[in-house]
Each structure stands twice: as C-alpha cells, then as structure tokens.
Amino acid sequence: MSPLPEVPSPAPGGERAGTALVEHYARLVRLGYLVLPPTPGSHRRVLAAHALTQRCLLPGRRAERGTGPPPAAAAVDPEYAWARLRVVRAALEAGRPRRSAVRARLRSPLPLVWGLRLLPHSGGADGLALENALAALSGPGRAAHALRGLEGLADAEVRRVLAAAGVADPHAALAEAEAVAAPYALLASPQFDPCSLQARPPDLLRRRRYAKAALAAGAALLVCGALLGPASHAPRWGGVPDQRAAAAAEALEPGRLGRVDAVSWRRSPRTDFTAWPTRGDRAGDTGLLRRALAAWARRGGAVRVSATPGTPAGPPMGAPQLLYAGGVGGAVVVLFYDGLRVVRYAESRDAGRAWGPVLDFARVDGADRASAAALVVTRSGGRVRYLTAPWVTAVSVRDLLAPDAAPRPLGRRADGVTDALTGPATASGCRTWPAVEARDGAAVRLLTDLGELTPARLTSGPPSAPHDVAGRAERDGWARTACLLPSVRSHGVRSVNSWQFAKQPLPEGDGVARWVCTRAETWRGAGSRVLAQFQAPSAPLAATGGPPGAVAARAESTPACGARDPRVLAGVLWRSRGGRWYVLAAGSEQFASLAASGGVEGRSGGRLLAVRAREGDRARLNGTLADGSRVGGLR
C-alpha cells in the first residue's frame, strides 16, 4: 500500500478530521489493527480496531481531547494527519492499564457478533513471521513500525506523532522498531487488513453442550462480581480485558502440549517433525515443562536467546508439540515444535544452576523426511549430541576429510539421543571434519553441524537431481570442499549441495583440474550462498583426499548453481609448474562459448577457456549460451 500523497491543507476542525477519517477508513483501521497488541485472538483484535476507529468519529469532548494543531509537517494533509493521530492515540491507550476501574467499566463495549468469528485472510509464512515480530514489540514500537512502513513517514515525523499520542520516549520506540527485519510491503498484506475478512463459525457443538451451564455460570459471576469487584488491572480494549495475559497463561499450561505416541510416524501422512514422538525421561515433569514454556512466553533478562537468521523469536501462537524433555550430559533439555520453528530450552542440571537458562529458535517450515532426520540436542565443550528421528535405524560418524576411511558406529540411547562426538567447529586447522551418517532404510544421509539446532544435509549431484553422498568420487569431492563450510556456518542453512560442473585439461600438460559448485540453501529461502571452486590436481594426502579447492567466485541470494538456474561460469588466474600464468575459465554444460576481456583478451569455441596472462592480471568473463544469450561470470 503506497503512502498517501502529502498535500498542503488548512488546519482541520473536528468535522473535517472526521471527513478524512471516513474517506480513509480502511487505511486507518489497518493502522489501528497493527498498533493494537497482536497476542489476543484475531477476532477480538479486528473488532477492537473497528471500534476504536469509529469512536474517533464521536462528537464531544472525548473525541476532541487534546485539540490543537496535529503534529504533522507543513507538507502533510492536516485533516488526515489529525485523524491518524486520533487512531494511533486510541490504539496505544487501549493497550495501557486503566487508572480507574470504574472508568474502564464505563467504556463503550466492543461491537458484538454472536455465533461468528471474523478473521483476516492468511498472509502466509512471511506474514506469520511479521506477526510474531510485532508481538514481541511494545505498543509504541508497533506504532513506530506501522507509521514508518504503512504511512511512509520520516523518523522525525514519526517521533512527532508518537509524542502527541502520549508516548514518553519516541526515540526508544523507533529504536525498538529497528529490530523488525521484515519488509514494509508485508504491512499491506491481507493478514493485516481488518476490512477484508473471512467469517468462520465458533465451536458450535461445545456452544450447544454448555449453553445451560453458561447461563448458570453467568448468574454466579454477576453475583460474585457485584460482591468482589474487579480484581484485575489488566489492559483493556474498549472495556474488554486484554487477552494477552490469558494467552500467556494458556501457553504456560503443560497439559495443553501436543504429544505424539511412539508409532504414529509409521501411519502418519507426513513424515517430518509433526510425526516425531514425545520422548525423554522428563516428558512428564510438569515443573520443568512449565519453566520452559514460561521462558518462551515471558522470557526475562536471565534467559539467553539465540535464533537462526530469518527465525521469529516471539512467543508461541498456540500450544506447541513436545518433542523431547530429558537430561543430557550436564543439562536438562526440552524441545518444542510449533509448525514453523523448533525451540530448545536448556537449563543446568546442577541444583546451583551453574549457568542460566538458554532458549534457541530455528526455523524448520517445509521440513521433509530427510531434513527432519535429526536435531542438535546439546553442544558443550566442543562436543555435540543429536536427537534422531524415529525412522533413523542406525547412526555412524564419517570424517569428510578421509574419504577412504570407513565410518565408525555412534552409540545411541533408547530415547534417540546419540553419544557425544567432536563438532567440526573445534577441528583446529581443519584437519578433520566429523559428519553424521543417518541410515533410513536403504538411504544413508550425511549430516553436519553448522552451529545451529538443525544439522545441514550434505548432497552431491547436479542441481536438477541432488542425491545423498555415495561412492569414492563424491566423497573425494567433499573431502576437498568440507573446509569451506565455515563460510556458511550459523546462516540458517538447510542443505549444501556440491557438484562438479566441468573438467579442464591444464596447459603445459599439468594434469586435469575440476570445477566444483557448492550451493547452501537456507530454511527461509532467501540468503542462499554459492561458491565456485577450482580444484587443481594433486597427489592425495595420507589422511585426506587433497587440499581444499580455491574459491574462484562466490555469490549470495542468487539462483545460480541451483534448480531454477543450474548455470555457472567462473575463472581463476593460475600458475603452471613451469612458472607461466594463465586465465582459466569453465562453464556448465549450458555454455556454447566463452570470452575474456579487460586485462586479458581471449575467446573459446566451447565451455573451457585458457589464455596466457601475467601475474596480477584481471579479466572479465562472459559466456554465450546455446540459445545465443550472453551470461556473465558468477559474482
């Protein structure tokens, strides 16, 4: 939704501001919907957004409270700015505790819709991620983000609007809004449009079953309310208690956790984290589960939090699924899954709590049988333990840098937790790279720890058909690629595919080099990383398959070397054993010819190029595809 044009206009009066509010009603309701606390149900939030916007039209002292020129720059339409200020002020006030309980009871009630639930349309995974990010902000922070993204206001103008709306520290609100990384365009998505709704019925069977009980309970509540009065000073929306506390209380209830039995995965239509059974010797420990849920829903300063890139770290939107709860080494670990994220809570096993609780988030939407094969359950002292999926029948350890060495078995407890093994992050000088082989029937999947909750799956083969690493040739390729994996560590990587796209006979009879492309895909889709390697021939080392390849080119957030665009073109400046320099280049099979320009000039009638050069020369590469189109080198 593009910002409204800023047109000069005389100072508004109450009627003219009301006219602006009616004219831009849908936009202002969306603004109020974004500023209101997101945690209560969408139905109440939709009604509250309409109610507070409509109340801004009411005549009289309440609607005109704080009259005076609106806090808008001279170039802003003052009528719309005044209406916008009313909506922001009302939405912020709706999230604050009432100073007077009597005044709270006298507020106008929300519009009531019996037997119907009104919900905005879904905005997809990105909309849900933004919803979670906004839920973690304060009211002023949400207002700052909405005024910036929805209204297109500059920071100075945002501060003026917030100050006029009663925000004590507008600078802090802007700083808080900076934490939201989602693009502003998502604010215009259907998920945040309370004027375009879908209607759904409530739980009709339960409503009918409890109708008589509700009448009796209502009468009893009226009597108790008259005797005791309101005991809560919770924030209210137009006289209806803010449901944030109620939602948090529901998230703290261990009895609402989803639990899956040990054999459900055999008959489940989906084989992913939803089919993982609830495991662990502390799965029935209500106190532990309550602490873990409380840390997630209401984490304080004592809880250390980490999240993979692109993963919202907000509270649960509903009761999550319990995957694991048990003691592992010196820690007690709880693993949850909420459909979008895996969340790990860990606390010290010692009574003295040698270290504070830890909360880790990892995005896992779209997981399948292969990518849901294991989770990192603990990482301590350079040692890693995994929790394996129920369909994993055996686990072993393979050193990626020793392609000839046989894998060694890795012990595993009855609850699926493996013995500790050295993590690749602790391998000094990249002399070894332990990876896990998880056997699933006839498939053997290779997984490696990249510093996150989810291990990355390693594959080989062209982008159109990547497959599990198998055979000496593919293991040898990974032996010369593994030491480049630290460049994608802690980046939210789901899988890494490495494949040979060309072989090139070297000038002066110096052997045959291999060109390899390695692509790391992320769970969030964006942020993929691509490395093109030049692997010169070398005698295999005693313990490894050879030295790491030289990175010829690298790129981020590109479809190159992937299923959508399998093409790749890269080049290096190489020195022969005789001391002469060459520009070498190679393209994937889609290329018909190559050319070098700039500091070095040369052409080739195929997809390989070798041109004499001098030390320090630089060349610009271009390739021509079979259809005649031109493509540059990977950058």
Side-chain angles (χ1 to χ4, degrees):
M1 182 179 295
S2 58
L4 291 173
E6 297 182 347
V7 181
S9 179
E15 292 298 327
R16 298 175 68 181
T19 301
L21 193 148
V22 172
E23 181 182 355
H24 304 299
Y25 180 79
R27 185 185 190 92
L28 292 168
V29 171
R30 184 190 288 262
L31 178 62
Y33 183 82
L34 286 165
V35 176
L36 285 167
T39 46
S42 296
H43 173 75
R44 289 238 181 242
R45 189 173 162 206
V46 164
L47 296 180
H50 283 277
L52 66 87
T53 305
Q54 291 172 17
R55 278 202 300 274
C56 291
L57 282 170
L58 295 178
R61 187 171 301 171
R62 181 177 62 183
E64 297 297 331
R65 180 181 53 195
T67 55
V76 179
D77 180 352
E79 296 166 1
Y80 176 74
W82 186 239
R84 179 178 62 202
L85 172 61
R86 288 183 182 179
V87 171
V88 172
R89 177 189 291 143
L92 289 172
E93 184 180 350
R96 299 186 187 117
R98 300 292 172 202
R99 295 179 181 177
S100 167
V102 175
R103 179 185 169 200
R105 287 199 302 272
L106 295 178
R107 297 282 291 179
S108 300
L110 291 175
L112 299 177
V113 184
W114 292 100
L116 196 64
R117 307 292 294 174
L118 301 177
L119 307 171
H121 294 275
S122 172
D126 291 335
L128 176 61
L130 177 56
E131 182 85 21
N132 289 333
L134 292 175
L137 301 182
S138 64
R142 285 190 299 274
H145 183 76
L147 290 171
R148 263 182 173 178
L150 187 65
E151 295 295 300
L153 299 185
D155 286 358
E157 184 69 9
V158 171
R159 288 193 294 270
R160 282 193 288 269
V161 173
L162 293 179
V167 176
D169 191 350
H171 289 274
L174 274 170
E176 189 180 359
E178 290 284 354
V180 180
Y184 289 139
L186 285 177
L187 296 176
S189 71
Q191 183 152 342
F192 304 104
D193 185 2
C195 290
S196 177
L197 304 171
Q198 53 182 336
R200 294 290 185 268
D203 190 339
L204 300 177
L205 294 178
R206 178 179 294 180
R207 179 179 171 186
R208 181 176 182 180
R209 189 182 308 124
Y210 294 116
K212 293 183 180 180
L215 290 174
L221 286 174
L222 287 175
V223 174
C224 293
L227 293 175
L228 301 177
S232 172
H233 295 280
R236 293 175 176 265
W237 288 353
V240 176
D242 184 353
Q243 295 186 9
R244 175 176 291 197
E250 180 176 336
L252 294 176
E253 181 52 56
R256 293 182 177 271
L257 289 171
R259 296 172 182 262
V260 176
D261 63 62
V263 296
S264 287
W265 68 271
R266 299 182 183 276
R267 57 180 182 273
S268 174
R270 294 171 52 183
T271 312
D272 53 16
F273 290 111
T274 61
W276 274 40
T278 301
R279 291 174 286 179
D281 56 359
R282 302 284 291 274
D285 189 336
T286 302
L288 169 64
L289 299 179
R290 195 179 300 278
R291 289 195 302 274
L293 290 167
W296 184 1
R298 302 174 180 172
R299 60 180 182 267
V303 180
R304 292 177 293 162
V305 180
S306 71
T308 59
T311 304
M317 300 300 290
Q321 177 183 340
L322 177 62
L323 302 180
Y324 180 84
V328 184
V332 178
V333 179
V334 182
L335 289 171
F336 300 109
Y337 172 64
D338 69 352
L340 174 68
R341 304 164 292 179
V342 167
V343 181
R344 178 180 62 186
Y345 169 85
E347 65 182 28
S348 176
R349 209 167 187 175
D350 300 332
R353 300 285 175 87
W355 43 270
V358 178
L359 200 61
D360 301 310
F361 295 84
R363 184 170 174 173
V364 292
D365 49 321
D368 55 16
R369 187 182 184 108
S371 54
L375 291 172
V376 173
V377 66
T378 62
R379 186 185 292 107
S380 177
R383 308 278 285 173
V384 183
R385 293 177 186 263
Y386 295 90
L387 176 66
T388 57
W391 50 84
V392 173
T393 56
V395 186
S396 56
V397 180
R398 180 181 288 279
D399 185 358
L400 292 184
L401 302 189
D404 277 338
R408 67 179 189 274
L410 180 63
R412 188 169 52 152
R413 301 187 329 202
D415 60 4
V417 175
T418 68
D419 293 344
L421 70 152
T422 302
T426 63
S428 175
C430 196
R431 297 186 179 90
T432 180
W433 193 284
V436 171
E437 282 190 343
R439 183 173 294 277
D440 173 11
V444 179
R445 300 190 171 96
L446 195 59
L447 310 172
T448 189
D449 176 27
L450 292 180
E452 299 169 352
L453 272 179
T454 53
R457 181 188 177 196
L458 305 182
T459 59
S460 294
S464 59
H467 54 263
D468 292 309
V469 180
R472 169 60 201 260
E474 293 179 353
R475 290 199 300 270
D476 186 64
W478 266 108
R480 302 188 65 181
T481 300
C483 290
L484 301 178
L485 286 174
S487 63
V488 297
R489 179 178 285 139
S490 301
H491 193 63
V493 172
R494 175 176 183 161
S495 63
V496 186
N497 184 56
S498 190
W499 62 291
Q500 177 180 297
F501 65 89
K503 279 187 175 183
Q504 183 172 25
L506 296 176
E508 303 180 22
D510 282 0
V512 178
R514 296 188 297 184
W515 290 89
V516 176
C517 191
T518 303
R519 180 180 176 89
E521 298 282 3
T522 66
W523 284 97
R524 63 191 183 278
S528 59
R529 293 191 175 184
V530 177
L531 301 174
Q533 301 174 54
F534 173 76
Q535 295 182 354
S538 65
L541 303 181
T544 72
V551 177
R554 66 179 74 223
E556 186 169 353
S557 299
T558 174
C561 190
R564 289 186 56 190
D565 184 6
R567 300 171 304 191
V568 57
L569 169 62
V572 294
L573 184 63
W574 173 81
R575 185 181 183 183
S576 70
R577 288 197 291 263
R580 284 172 286 274
W581 292 90
Y582 294 85
V583 167
L584 304 179
S588 52
E589 60 184 7
Q590 295 84 2
F591 287 88
S593 64
L594 303 181
S597 59
V600 177
E601 299 288 337
R603 297 187 62 83
S604 165
R607 59 190 185 103
L608 301 176
L609 175 70
V611 182
R612 280 292 302 272
R614 293 173 298 180
E615 182 178 3
D617 278 348
R618 293 180 177 272
R620 183 169 55 252
L621 295 176
N622 283 286
T624 302
L625 303 179
D627 61 4
S629 57
R630 293 172 62 84
V631 177
L634 184 68
R635 295 179 180 273

